[in-house]
Amino acid sequence: MAIADEHQHRRHKKWLICPLWQSTASSSSPTSTQNLHSHPNGVVSSNSRSSSAVSSVARSLLPGRRRLRLDPSNKLYFPYEPGKQGRSAVRIKNSSKSHVAFKFQTTAPKSCYMRPPGGILAPGEGLIATVFKFMELPENNEKNQKRKVKFKIMSLKVKEGTDYVPELFEERRDKVIVERVLQVVFLDPERPNPALEKLKCQLAEADAATETRKKPPADAGPKVIGEGLVIDEWKERREKYLARQQVEAVDSM
């Protein structure tokens, strides 16, 4: 009898809890959920707004889409010759459909510099940037320190016709993308290495491009006539003119 009374008491307690569960379930019923997702006037529901907010936060935390293609992609190779200035190179190509400004930064500005330090590339345009670094003597545990030197390449979408100035990256800091962080890798110049051979080819190409840029355009300078320049011919004509005037002045006397 006591067992039957206890069973009935548990059953009664269960039904006391069930109405609370049922009321909670009814508040989140399909009809209520449907009201959150849809509105007769087409207003965005609270659930949709919260999802959109979460998506925007997630997008802000994710890295932006890269605009530049680098070769090598994440390293800068230097022939290691202590006490000398070494050179490395990286090919930069604009792989986007808009004009892109790029800029170098380094953790060792006193011993490193880049040529060019920045610029603007049209869609599909590319160049080879040369990086210079003074190779310190292996003292004060420099072999461990040298691996910490890194270079950062940043990009910024710009309008066609924009002139490059470094201040662009400060004025539009929220639009800047860190393309890559390049780690310095030192190579033995006496030991054959595919990376070293590729570096030599890139440096030769960069030097040729630099010499081409130094040459003035065909129509920028004076035209050549025979062995002399236009300005030489002008001087010669003026000297002849002055000589004739002197002769005429003597004859008139």
Side-chain angles (χ1 to χ4, degrees), residues 63-70 73 93-96 100 153 155 177-181:
R65 183 179 179 182
R66 290 191 175 97
R67 306 181 180 110
L68 302 177
R69 186 180 303 163
L70 307 181
S73 60
K93 183 177 181 180
N94 181 2
S95 57
S96 71
V100 173
I153 299 182
S155 72
I177 292 177
V178 176
E179 292 285 340
R180 290 285 185 182
V181 175

Side-chain angles (χ1 to χ4, degrees), residues 63 66 68-78 90 92 103-108 131 147-155 176-185:
R66 290 191 175 97
L68 302 177
R69 186 180 303 163
L70 307 181
D71 183 24
S73 60
N74 56 2
K75 291 181 175 62
L76 279 176
Y77 296 99
F78 286 88
V90 56
I92 305 174
K103 180 182 177 182
F104 274 97
Q105 280 189 345
T106 177
T107 57
V131 184
R147 294 186 178 181
K148 296 182 180 180
V149 179
K150 294 180 181 179
F151 292 83
K152 180 167 65 176
I153 299 182
M154 302 177 293
S155 72
V176 174
I177 292 177
V178 176
E179 292 285 340
R180 290 285 185 182
V181 175
L182 305 177
Q183 184 177 1
V184 170
V185 176

Side-chain angles (χ1 to χ4, degrees), residues 19-249:
L20 178 61
W21 176 85
Q22 288 175 351
S23 63
T24 306
S26 62
S27 64
S28 60
S29 62
T31 305
S32 176
T33 305
Q34 185 177 3
N35 290 336
L36 287 175
H37 285 280
S38 62
H39 193 280
N41 295 329
V43 179
V44 178
S45 65
S46 59
N47 202 7
S48 299
R49 284 196 299 269
S50 62
S51 299
S52 177
V54 171
S55 299
S56 62
V57 171
R59 283 194 300 269
S60 66
L61 295 176
L62 292 173
R65 183 179 179 182
R66 290 191 175 97
R67 306 181 180 110
L68 302 177
R69 186 180 303 163
L70 307 181
D71 183 24
S73 60
N74 56 2
K75 291 181 175 62
L76 279 176
Y77 296 99
F78 286 88
Y80 186 58
E81 298 177 301
K84 296 183 180 180
Q85 180 176 264
R87 290 199 305 163
S88 185
V90 56
R91 186 185 300 274
I92 305 174
K93 183 177 181 180
N94 181 2
S95 57
S96 71
K97 296 181 180 180
S98 60
H99 285 67
V100 173
F102 71 91
K103 180 182 177 182
F104 274 97
Q105 280 189 345
T106 177
T107 57
K110 292 183 179 180
S111 61
C112 305
Y113 68 95
M114 291 68 67
R115 182 191 295 166
I120 295 179
L121 298 174
E125 185 181 5
L127 57 79
I128 295 181
T130 308
V131 184
F132 298 82
K133 185 185 186 312
F134 180 76
M135 303 296 172
E136 296 86 353
L137 295 174
E139 298 174 354
N140 300 324
N141 202 20
E142 198 271 334
K143 283 189 176 181
N144 294 331
Q145 294 294 327
K146 67 186 180 182
R147 294 186 178 181
K148 296 182 180 180
V149 179
K150 294 180 181 179
F151 292 83
K152 180 167 65 176
I153 299 182
M154 302 177 293
S155 72
L156 174 66
K157 181 180 177 181
V158 296
K159 294 182 180 180
E160 184 178 356
T162 302
D163 294 328
Y164 175 80
V165 288
E167 290 74 19
L168 283 172
F169 288 81
E170 294 295 330
E171 296 169 357
R172 303 174 58 188
R173 188 179 303 175
D174 57 330
K175 302 295 183 181
V176 174
I177 292 177
V178 176
E179 292 285 340
R180 290 285 185 182
V181 175
L182 305 177
Q183 184 177 1
V184 170
V185 176
F186 291 90
L187 302 174
D188 185 352
E190 302 299 329
R191 182 177 298 177
N193 190 307
L196 185 60
E197 295 301 320
K198 184 177 180 179
L199 173 60
K200 290 179 180 179
C201 293
Q202 286 186 330
L203 289 174
E205 187 176 343
D207 292 341
T210 301
E211 291 299 322
T212 302
R213 287 195 297 269
K214 288 181 179 179
K215 293 180 180 179
D219 57 347
K223 295 181 180 179
V224 177
I225 300 179
E227 296 296 328
L229 301 175
V230 171
I231 193 167
D232 296 332
E233 184 184 6
W234 179 82
K235 287 182 178 179
E236 184 179 354
R237 287 181 180 180
R238 181 171 177 79
E239 289 173 357
K240 289 181 179 179
Y241 172 74
L242 293 176
R244 282 199 305 269
Q245 288 225 339
Q246 289 179 356
V247 171
E248 291 175 359

